[in-house]
Amino acid sequence: YIVLRYVFGYLNRISICLQNILGIKRSYPYETLKKGAEWVSITNDLVEYLLSKKEEVLKNFKFISCPDEIYKQTLVWNSKFRSKVYAINDEYASCLRAIDWSRGTPYCWGQGGDKSDVSILRSSDAMFARKFSSENMWIVDEIRELYE
């Protein structure tokens, strides 16, 4: 698996270099491409809008790296829904999820029995948190007890 990942990564870099040398640049029918977290909370109206764009999404994002982190944000940014995005200038604050990238990819809350994680989550402005492990259910139970 690691060898294949390395080979495909190398081939991808070669492909990008060739595209740059030959002046090949993919064009998109959007004013701006945006990126952000794939963990989002959206309204039914936005779900319907995104579903109505299925063919467009498949056509424009099929061969792009990280399409799940780009297609929603790009469609929202280039639509009437842009004005409804919470914390539009901070992609991680806008998803309202406590995600710790500094200790993992992402870090699993409660890992190693770290009791300080409870206070970190409790003081967070986020409404949700990611990521929990079934091996550390103590933290989920402790947070649940705080709000019962």
Side-chain angles (χ1 to χ4, degrees), residues 61-117:
F61 298 98
K62 187 174 184 177
F63 298 108
I64 195 170
S65 296
C66 304
D68 56 335
E69 297 172 342
I70 296 174
Y71 88 90
K72 283 187 300 292
Q73 295 79 0
T74 297
L75 290 175
V76 169
W77 186 264
N78 293 285
S79 74
K80 67 180 182 178
F81 293 98
R82 180 196 310 190
S83 64
K84 297 180 181 187
V85 174
Y86 174 76
I88 200 163
N89 294 319
D90 185 337
E91 68 184 80
Y92 290 104
S94 68
C95 73
L96 291 172
R97 281 153 176 80
I99 304 169
D100 186 346
W101 292 104
S102 66
R103 295 185 282 173
T105 57
Y107 170 75
C108 286
W109 297 104
Q111 190 171 314
D114 190 346
K115 296 286 186 182
S116 68
D117 285 353

Side-chain angles (χ1 to χ4, degrees), residues 13-86:
R13 286 191 295 280
I14 290 172
S15 172
I16 291 169
C17 286
L18 285 173
Q19 290 174 43
N20 287 334
I21 291 168
L22 298 172
I24 298 171
K25 184 173 169 137
R26 182 184 290 193
S27 63
Y28 295 95
Y30 310 106
E31 176 185 327
T32 305
L33 288 175
K34 297 300 275 185
K35 70 168 185 67
E38 68 264 29
W39 308 292
V40 298
S41 300
I42 58 178
T43 64
N44 188 61
D45 286 344
L46 182 51
V47 169
E48 289 177 5
Y49 174 75
L50 292 173
L51 290 173
S52 75
K53 300 291 188 177
K54 179 182 176 180
E55 294 303 318
E56 182 178 324
V57 168
L58 292 174
K59 177 183 174 192
N60 292 307
F61 298 98
K62 187 174 184 177
F63 298 108
I64 195 170
S65 296
C66 304
D68 56 335
E69 297 172 342
I70 296 174
Y71 88 90
K72 283 187 300 292
Q73 295 79 0
T74 297
L75 290 175
V76 169
W77 186 264
N78 293 285
S79 74
K80 67 180 182 178
F81 293 98
R82 180 196 310 190
S83 64
K84 297 180 181 187
V85 174
Y86 174 76

Side-chain angles (χ1 to χ4, degrees), residues 130-147:
R130 185 175 190 281
K131 169 178 184 181
F132 295 94
S133 168
S134 59
E135 296 174 9
N136 300 310
M137 288 305 291
W138 69 267
I139 191 166
V140 174
D141 295 336
E142 198 164 317
I143 292 169
R144 185 181 299 127
E145 286 175 15
L146 291 171
Y147 294 97

